[in-house]
Amino acid sequence: MPPEESSKNQLSFGEIVDMVNEASPLLILSDGKDAQVALSPTLQSRVLTSTASGRNGRSFGWVNLDLITSKKRLEHFNPYGGEDRIWVGPEGGQYSIFFAPGTDFDLDHWYVPAPFDIEPFEVVEQSSSSVKFRKNFHQQNYSRSQFEIGLDRTVRIIAPENAASALSADMMSGLASVAFESHNIMTNRGDLPWTREGGLLSLWILGQFDASPTTTIVVPFQPGPVEERGVAINTDYFAEIPPDRLRVFDAVACFKGDSNYRSKIGVNPKRATGVLGSYDALHQVLTIVEHSLGAPGAEYVNSEWKIQDHPYAGDVSNCYNDGPPPTGGAQLGAFFELESSSPAAALQPGETIQHVHRTLHLQGDKTRLDAAAKAALGLSIEEIENALPH
């Protein structure tokens, strides 16, 4: 991890909030105690970061302070950071909205659409524990289909026991905790239906978290034969992943979150459990993400960067570890991502699709974290720590 990134990670939640506020005003949600969540209407309604221990507590989200405070705008993508940001898929393929028609599927031609990269969202409703945002925009895809899109997004701070279905309040007793969820709705605001032949869209939620040399991403999946459920973990995204960075067990996979190697994995609809997680052994932080799943048989957009034979055979959830790009140059930052997607949205005019994404952070004694890790992720803290070499 670059030294400048390491030093930024030592900043408290309050220090980061104060620095960001000077460039982009934040909204702070609170449980009335120590749990706080920072939201940014200017930065596309994202949850920028959170804490379980008040202003002086650890900041859990990866925040690109240099970019935010500079007020610069980058050409292809503005990686501001944030634990829960909203995008719209697919990223690649003939129905992509990140590549202009006829261009090559490479970094030189990849552009994140401005409505969810640099444009602000409108605040519709606000309270001490929740904020509702809205964004309406027009978008064209790689196949030149036209979309009128409405996004409605409510972010709320929630009780930790409501964030992960496998955990109880007793199981989290004695641990510092913060939990929040985003309830995301996409509407077809146009006069024409969205069709498979013209290309479908999906809601896509991405969370960026501080990487560390001892962070392990944990991905539970449905066990079963490959012939029935497909591969357990899809690695067909970027570079080949060395075995010391990814280990696949019978019903769970462990993946390095150290930001030292650019790589990505995915879980298909027949394998997805709706749960992702990570454990930062250095700071004793257990993170659990829970998200909604489509009905059995639902299709998901394929975001691979190529013309696809199966554009609706995509993954439900993904995990990304940043690292130096293979073409050289600087990497985006010292972070990893936990992501989830809604099914592909074949919407008639006025119809909607919804997707819920919850994030829970637990920090404290390893013995207390152990029960939560076993219940939510299927591995003990010791098993997570020893799954991959550090």
Side-chain angles (χ1 to χ4, degrees):
M1 185 184 304
E4 64 272 17
E5 291 290 352
S6 179
S7 64
K8 288 175 192 172
N9 290 347
Q10 304 307 309
L11 295 176
S12 69
F13 173 83
E15 289 170 327
I16 290 176
V17 165
D18 289 345
M19 293 178 70
V20 173
N21 261 329
E22 295 181 6
S24 177
L26 295 172
L27 304 175
I28 306 297
L29 306 182
S30 172
D31 69 347
K33 299 176 184 177
D34 291 329
Q36 296 184 40
V37 178
L39 313 177
S40 175
T42 306
L43 303 180
Q44 302 76 54
S45 77
R46 75 189 65 207
V47 176
L48 196 62
T49 189
S50 65
T51 186
S53 306
R55 275 187 55 86
N56 295 325
R58 182 167 184 80
S59 173
F60 294 124
W62 178 74
V63 181
N64 192 340
L65 288 171
D66 286 345
L67 180 58
I68 294 173
T69 57
S70 73
K71 299 186 180 181
K72 293 179 181 177
R73 288 186 175 178
L74 306 180
E75 182 182 4
H76 293 268
F77 168 45
N78 287 269
Y80 297 119
E83 296 190 54
D84 183 314
R85 75 177 190 275
I86 186 168
W87 274 10
V88 174
E91 184 178 8
Q94 55 266 46
Y95 303 132
S96 168
I97 61 172
F98 289 69
F99 292 90
T103 59
D104 294 331
F105 294 108
D106 56 33
L107 282 172
D108 289 339
H109 297 93
W110 176 77
Y111 293 87
V112 180
F116 45 88
D117 184 45
I118 58 174
E119 296 179 4
F121 277 43
E122 175 190 2
V123 175
V124 179
E125 297 176 10
Q126 180 180 353
S127 72
S128 61
S129 60
S130 69
V131 182
K132 181 178 180 179
F133 301 94
R134 179 169 295 155
K135 183 70 176 178
N136 298 324
F137 60 99
H138 172 85
Q139 187 65 49
Q140 175 180 260
N141 73 7
Y142 190 89
S143 296
R144 301 185 189 277
S145 296
Q146 309 296 319
F147 299 88
E148 299 297 331
I149 302 168
L151 297 178
D152 286 277
R153 171 170 156 85
T154 300
V155 179
R156 57 177 63 91
I157 194 167
I158 58 177
E161 59 267 27
N162 295 330
S165 56
L167 303 185
S168 64
D170 288 344
M171 202 173 290
M172 292 179 277
S173 176
L175 295 169
S177 62
V178 59
F180 57 90
E181 70 175 16
S182 65
H183 183 187
N184 307 277
I185 302 174
M186 181 164 57
T187 304
N188 176 357
R189 299 185 65 252
D191 299 325
L192 299 174
W194 297 353
T195 66
R196 295 179 87 259
E197 296 74 22
L200 300 179
L201 306 175
S202 69
L203 289 162
W204 184 8
I205 305 300
L206 307 93
Q208 292 178 301
F209 305 96
D210 282 329
S212 84
T214 59
T215 293
T216 301
I217 298 166
V218 184
V219 185
F221 60 83
Q222 298 285 357
V226 173
E227 304 79 44
E228 295 178 9
R229 294 186 179 271
V231 298
I233 298 294
N234 177 20
T235 60
D236 191 17
Y237 283 96
F238 299 119
E240 182 178 347
I241 304 175
D244 65 339
R245 292 192 156 271
L246 173 65
R247 189 173 179 190
V248 181
F249 300 95
D250 290 339
V252 64
C254 290
F255 181 50
K256 276 197 175 181
D258 61 358
S259 75
N260 288 331
Y261 187 83
R262 185 172 180 258
S263 50
K264 185 173 182 176
I265 61 175
V267 186
N268 74 51
K270 293 183 178 181
R271 295 283 190 180
T273 65
V275 178
L276 301 167
S278 67
Y279 179 63
D280 177 352
L282 182 63
H283 303 103
Q284 295 182 195
V285 176
L286 179 67
T287 297
I288 299 166
V289 165
E290 191 167 275
H291 60 84
S292 53
L293 294 171
E299 296 181 309
Y300 289 78
V301 300
N302 189 338
S303 282
E304 293 177 12
W305 289 19
K306 61 183 180 181
I307 298 298
Q308 302 155 359
D309 294 331
H310 304 287
Y312 301 110
D315 291 326
V316 179
S317 51
N318 293 96
C319 303
Y320 170 79
N321 184 54
D322 199 46
T327 54
Q331 67 185 78
L332 294 174
F335 68 85
F336 65 92
E337 289 184 324
L338 305 179
E339 314 171 10
S340 70
S341 294
S342 75
L347 302 180
Q348 295 292 322
E351 285 188 338
T352 64
I353 189 169
Q354 303 184 29
H355 185 68
V356 178
H357 186 103
R358 299 186 184 94
T359 304
L360 167 66
H361 298 291
L362 300 171
Q363 185 174 28
D365 180 73
K366 287 172 59 174
T367 303
R368 294 183 181 274
L369 290 172
D370 191 64
K374 288 178 182 176
L377 302 177
L379 292 178
S380 68
I381 292 297
E382 183 179 4
E383 288 172 323
I384 295 171
E385 288 183 307
N386 294 329
L388 298 168
H390 294 291

